[in-house]
Amino acid sequence: MVTTGVRAVILAAGKSKRFKRRQSKLLAEICGRPMVVFPLRVLEELKISATLVLGYQADQIKDSIESFKMKHVDCVLQGEPLGTGNAVLCSQSRWDKENILILNADVPLLTPELIKQLLEKHKQSGAIMSFVSTHVINPTGYGRVVEQDGVTRIYEEKDCPSEYKSENRVNVGIYVVKRSFLQDGIQKLERSKVSGEIYLTDLVELASRRGEHVEIVGAPFDQVRGVNTLQELWAVEQVMRSNLIKHWMSNGVRFELAQGIHIDIDVEIGPDSFIGTGAHLLGRTKIGEGCFIAAFTILENTVVGDGTMVHSHCVVQDSVIGGDAHIGPFARLRNNVVVADNVCIGNFVEIKNSTIGYGSKTKHLSYVGDATLGDNVNIGAGTVFCNYDGSKKHKTIIENDVFIGSNNTLIAPVKLGEGAYAAAGSTITTDVPPQDLAIARARQENKGQYAKKFRGEEKKKEKVFCNKVCTSKKKDDERFHFLGAVKTHDMPEESV
Ligand code: UD1
Ligand code: CA
């Protein structure tokens, strides 16, 4: 295997100065995953043990990789970021294999295939050092790969003589070096007179001047783009996202406006599904077959069953939705909501930490919090589950076939037994036994002909008021004021 006898070192101690953010660029998420995790995942897949060189924001970077449960990664610290040559030197105690694979941590589009290809060429050619290069229209920021009098060398941006500035074959920051050469060569690197940094890339010239073979492996730019600036981050994310979208298209997913979709790397989508413009599919979201996810809906860490329709402008987080369900538009589901098959959650409904049984409906303007609903329950418009008493959260249990009329207030903890009925406008404070009807609202009283009398009184008041104003101001003014109208001759000419 090409990966045997290889140990990796990943350089992640830099200060990200060109990124112009407080946070290290390596913590920036690309399609939902911190940048530093991408090279680590590639090495994990190839089963190559890796040492991460950390410095700037070392603890935050360590924390960010924690949840990815990498098996073959350890860390060393670089005190001062004196350059990539110095960073590699800091990992010396871990060089336990014959070949040391060195990767910049800011090359998130790299693939296991490229690493295998590099290792293969390195071993076949017997080179003491091999590295990956690419061709790029604008090489600014990259080290230029130059052949000069039979010597191969890399000129860094700041040190590059003007005649090589437009050289568009560039170094991408992926190398493999024989340990014996690395141990010796790394000690000999000197600080750049221009930047004061120790450049790892000077190893190439050192090897070449000794007459040793240095192998260069070409790769497409879109697999090896580096990220120093926010613009480069944006470009890398565009490439990754369009690769993901192409992948799901080839599996039968229709995207309404593909360039406007935000999709994370761990998202899965079943065939025959439709994803609307501006949808955000985040985290570990898993969408079934034949689903319809309408425009501007956000699904985060959410499972959607086959044939379900999530209408536009919904926000669903950390939830599970069954098959053939209808959600939204404008619905919000959060904190572990479990919705069974055939459920209907309508407009302006918020559901939190609740389970909704088969075929149940809550179609309009409701809040359901900390509740368990059985099958075929109906929740009327405007119903509020009062789960919080100011210090604790309480549960509401609603058994199968319960009907809750519109505008109910359910004060938890409370239980409505199977088949119970709560009349519209009720405030339910105590349990309702199965099949009972609960009415908890003020009884209506009709006062005979009071409406007519009331209107008569109002008319009289109107007359008195009109007479009063008429005596204190000019007549036409009062008429306008009383009717709430604006006199056009008081308004500026142009706005008439
Ligand atoms: C580097 C290469 C350049 C190449 C480019 C590809 C050098 C000197 N230059 O330049 O030839 O074209 O990558 O993207 O290597 N780091 C440390 N410690 C340090 C300095 C950097 O760990 O003291 C880490 C950074 O966190 C980063 C990586 O090394 O992950 C590369 O450093 P960066 O400053 O981005 O190098 P470039 O200027 O891009
Ligand atoms: Ca870089």
Side-chain angles (χ1 to χ4, degrees):
M1 270 211 302
V2 284
T3 53
T4 43
V6 177
R7 136 81 62 179
V9 174
I10 300 172
L11 310 183
K15 281 192 169 161
S16 310
K17 274 197 199 146
R18 288 161 285 180
F19 207 54
K20 304 275 167 69
R21 306 257 302 166
R22 251 170 279 165
Q23 203 183 44
S24 162
K25 63 182 171 185
L26 302 174
L27 291 164
E29 290 199 347
I30 302 171
C31 294
R33 199 180 269 178
M35 194 185 322
V36 66
V37 172
F38 287 92
L40 290 173
R41 271 286 176 96
V42 165
L43 296 172
E44 194 83 354
E45 204 176 315
L46 295 170
K47 298 196 170 55
I48 298 175
S49 298
T51 297
L52 196 57
V53 182
L54 295 174
Y56 182 65
Q57 299 188 341
D59 289 342
Q60 289 95 315
I61 294 178
K62 259 192 220 169
D63 289 350
S64 79
I65 62 174
E66 194 106 309
S67 65
F68 292 89
K69 310 246 175 299
M70 306 285 180
K71 282 191 216 109
H72 311 288
V73 180
D74 59 17
C75 301
V76 294
L77 282 177
Q78 180 189 21
E80 267 293 292
L82 299 175
T84 47
N86 178 256
V88 172
L89 183 63
C90 294
S91 70
Q92 195 170 19
S93 62
R94 312 295 160 98
W95 300 347
D96 56 1
K97 297 276 161 61
E98 200 187 323
N99 287 295
I100 308 300
L101 174 68
I102 302 167
L103 309 178
N104 285 359
D106 60 356
V107 188
L109 296 166
L110 85 171
T111 62
E113 290 69 36
L114 177 61
I115 300 297
K116 276 200 260 181
Q117 200 189 335
L118 171 70
L119 294 175
E120 224 163 66
K121 289 241 172 115
H122 175 71
K123 288 184 176 177
Q124 273 168 11
S125 65
I128 58 165
M129 175 171 190
S130 305
F131 67 96
V132 180
S133 80
T134 191
H135 284 85
V136 56
I137 294 167
N138 176 6
T140 310
Y142 288 93
R144 279 47 157 205
V145 180
V146 173
E147 313 266 356
Q148 214 182 355
D149 307 324
V151 175
T152 308
R153 62 169 297 173
I154 297 172
Y155 279 115
E156 290 308 316
E157 173 74 39
K158 287 179 189 158
D159 309 50
C160 189
S162 52
E163 67 260 42
Y164 298 119
K165 281 254 158 137
S166 57
E167 172 61 63
N168 51 19
R169 184 162 65 149
V170 296
N171 168 39
V172 306
I174 301 175
Y175 326 77
V176 57
V177 191
K178 274 195 177 160
R179 183 179 56 184
S180 51
F181 172 62
L182 188 61
Q183 271 163 340
D184 169 46
I186 201 103
Q187 310 286 346
K188 301 204 161 58
L189 300 183
E190 286 170 13
R191 280 177 179 239
S192 150
K193 290 189 182 66
V194 183
S195 67
E197 286 182 31
I198 301 167
Y199 298 146
L200 176 66
T201 44
D202 285 349
L203 274 184
V204 172
E205 188 181 353
L206 193 69
S208 190
R209 282 202 187 281
R210 286 185 188 178
E212 300 283 358
H213 177 58
V214 176
E215 180 76 14
I216 305 177
V217 177
F221 183 50
D222 276 349
Q223 279 182 24
V224 291
R225 284 169 178 266
V227 178
N228 294 328
T229 64
L230 282 166
Q231 282 185 26
E232 286 164 342
L233 176 78
W234 172 57
V236 159
E237 194 162 39
Q238 297 264 20
V239 172
M240 198 174 292
R241 207 173 276 153
S242 51
N243 286 344
L244 291 171
I245 286 174
K246 280 186 227 158
H247 166 79
W248 292 114
M249 278 176 174
S250 65
N251 282 281
V253 179
R254 165 88 169 101
F255 292 89
E256 187 178 28
L257 197 64
Q259 64 271 37
I261 308 285
H262 185 127
I263 183 169
D264 279 352
I265 197 160
D266 292 320
V267 168
E268 290 174 42
I269 314 173
D272 241 353
S273 284
F274 175 96
I275 310 295
T277 303
H280 282 45
L281 310 177
L282 309 176
R284 297 188 171 275
T285 290
K286 197 173 172 192
I287 296 166
E289 290 184 22
C291 291
F292 187 93
I293 311 298
F296 307 111
T297 270
I298 301 174
L299 302 176
E300 185 174 3
N301 298 325
T302 289
V303 177
V304 180
D306 296 346
T308 282
M309 222 172 155
V310 185
H311 297 266
S312 63
H313 298 280
C314 291
V315 180
V316 186
Q317 293 160 300
D318 306 312
S319 296
V320 178
I321 300 168
D324 300 314
H326 281 257
I327 312 290
F330 297 99
R332 177 162 193 218
L333 278 60
R334 62 185 173 99
N335 297 27
N336 193 29
V337 169
V338 180
V339 171
D341 294 350
N342 269 43
V343 161
C344 186
I345 311 285
N347 346 227
F348 305 105
V349 173
E350 178 180 355
I351 306 187
K352 186 215 83 174
N353 186 32
S354 296
T355 304
I356 316 290
Y358 179 92
S360 290
K361 296 186 183 101
T362 169
K363 289 180 101 166
H364 331 266
L365 302 150
S366 291
Y367 172 63
V368 180
D370 300 309
T372 304
L373 274 62
D375 298 344
N376 302 312
V377 167
N378 183 83
I379 306 290
T383 294
V384 174
F385 285 55
C386 305
N387 56 329
Y388 186 47
D389 62 11
S391 56
K392 278 195 204 119
K393 301 276 168 72
H394 302 280
K395 282 221 66 140
T396 299
I397 296 170
I398 301 195
E399 292 184 345
N400 296 345
D401 306 314
V402 165
F403 185 94
I404 312 269
S406 291
N407 201 29
N408 265 248
T409 307
L410 309 173
I411 317 273
V414 73
K415 178 176 172 182
L416 283 87
E418 188 160 340
Y421 198 110
S426 292
T427 298
I428 305 293
T429 52
T430 53
D431 293 356
V432 183
Q435 307 302 338
D436 278 14
L437 164 67
I439 309 180
R441 62 188 183 211
R443 188 176 284 277
Q444 183 174 329
E445 207 180 322
N446 293 344
K447 306 257 188 197
Q449 298 301 299
Y450 261 49
K452 202 172 170 189
K453 277 188 217 161
F454 176 75
R455 278 198 208 100
E457 289 297 314
E458 285 298 294
K459 276 221 168 105
K460 263 190 224 159
K461 274 192 218 160
E462 216 171 83
K463 252 189 177 169
V464 173
F465 174 72
C466 205
N467 287 341
K468 265 192 198 164
V469 255
C470 285
T471 51
S472 62
K473 282 187 177 178
K474 277 187 189 166
K475 269 193 181 158
D476 65 330
D477 269 304
E478 279 112 39
R479 193 157 51 82
F480 276 109
H481 278 277
F482 184 70
L483 297 174
V486 183
K487 281 196 302 176
T488 50
H489 56 80
D490 280 351
M491 294 173 79
E493 289 283 320
E494 59 271 20
S495 56
V496 176

